[in-house]
Coordinates of all heavy atoms in Angstrom, one line a residue:
S264 N -16.1 -2.0 -6.7 CA -17.6 -2.1 -6.5 C -18.0 -1.4 -5.2 O -19.0 -0.7 -5.1 CB -18.0 -3.5 -6.5 OG -19.4 -3.6 -6.4
V321 N -17.2 -0.5 -17.1 CA -17.7 0.5 -16.2 C -19.3 0.5 -16.3 O -20.0 0.7 -15.3 CB -17.1 1.9 -16.6 CG1 -17.8 3.0 -15.8 CG2 -15.6 1.9 -16.2
T322 N -19.8 0.4 -17.5 CA -21.2 0.4 -17.8 C -21.9 -0.8 -17.0 O -22.9 -0.6 -16.4 CB -21.5 0.3 -19.3 OG1 -21.0 1.4 -19.9 CG2 -23.0 0.2 -19.5
E323 N -21.2 -1.9 -17.0 CA -21.8 -3.1 -16.3 C -21.7 -2.9 -14.8 O -22.7 -3.2 -14.1 CB -21.0 -4.3 -16.7 CG -21.2 -4.8 -18.1 CD -20.4 -6.0 -18.5 OE1 -19.5 -6.4 -17.7 OE2 -20.5 -6.5 -19.6
L324 N -20.6 -2.3 -14.3 CA -20.5 -2.0 -12.9 C -21.5 -1.0 -12.4 O -22.2 -1.2 -11.4 CB -19.1 -1.5 -12.5 CG -18.9 -1.2 -11.1 CD1 -19.0 -2.5 -10.2 CD2 -17.5 -0.6 -10.9
A325 N -21.7 0.1 -13.2 CA -22.7 1.1 -12.9 C -24.1 0.5 -12.8 O -24.9 0.7 -11.9 CB -22.6 2.2 -13.9
S326 N -24.4 -0.3 -13.8 CA -25.7 -0.9 -13.9 C -26.0 -1.8 -12.7 O -27.1 -1.9 -12.2 CB -25.8 -1.8 -15.2 OG -27.1 -2.3 -15.3
A327 N -25.0 -2.5 -12.2 CA -25.1 -3.4 -11.1 C -25.5 -2.6 -9.8 O -26.0 -3.2 -8.9 CB -23.8 -4.2 -10.9
H328 N -25.1 -1.3 -9.8 CA -25.4 -0.5 -8.7 C -26.6 0.5 -9.0 O -26.7 1.5 -8.3 CB -24.2 0.3 -8.3 CG -23.2 -0.6 -7.6 ND1 -23.3 -1.1 -6.4 CD2 -22.0 -1.1 -8.1 CE1 -22.2 -1.8 -6.1 NE2 -21.4 -1.8 -7.1
G329 N -27.3 0.2 -10.0 CA -28.5 1.0 -10.3 C -28.2 2.4 -10.9 O -29.0 3.3 -10.8
A330 N -27.1 2.5 -11.7 CA -26.7 3.7 -12.3 C -26.4 3.6 -13.7 O -26.2 2.5 -14.2 CB -25.5 4.3 -11.6
R408 N -30.3 5.6 -11.6 CA -31.5 5.5 -12.4 C -32.7 5.7 -11.5 O -32.7 5.3 -10.3 CB -31.6 4.0 -13.0 CG -30.6 3.7 -14.1 CD -31.0 2.5 -14.8 NE -30.0 2.2 -15.8 CZ -29.1 1.2 -15.6 NH1 -29.1 0.6 -14.5 NH2 -28.3 0.9 -16.6

Side-chain angles (χ1 to χ4, degrees):
S264 181
V321 172
T322 298
E323 290 177 355
L324 180 63
S326 181
H328 290 285
R408 293 196 183 98

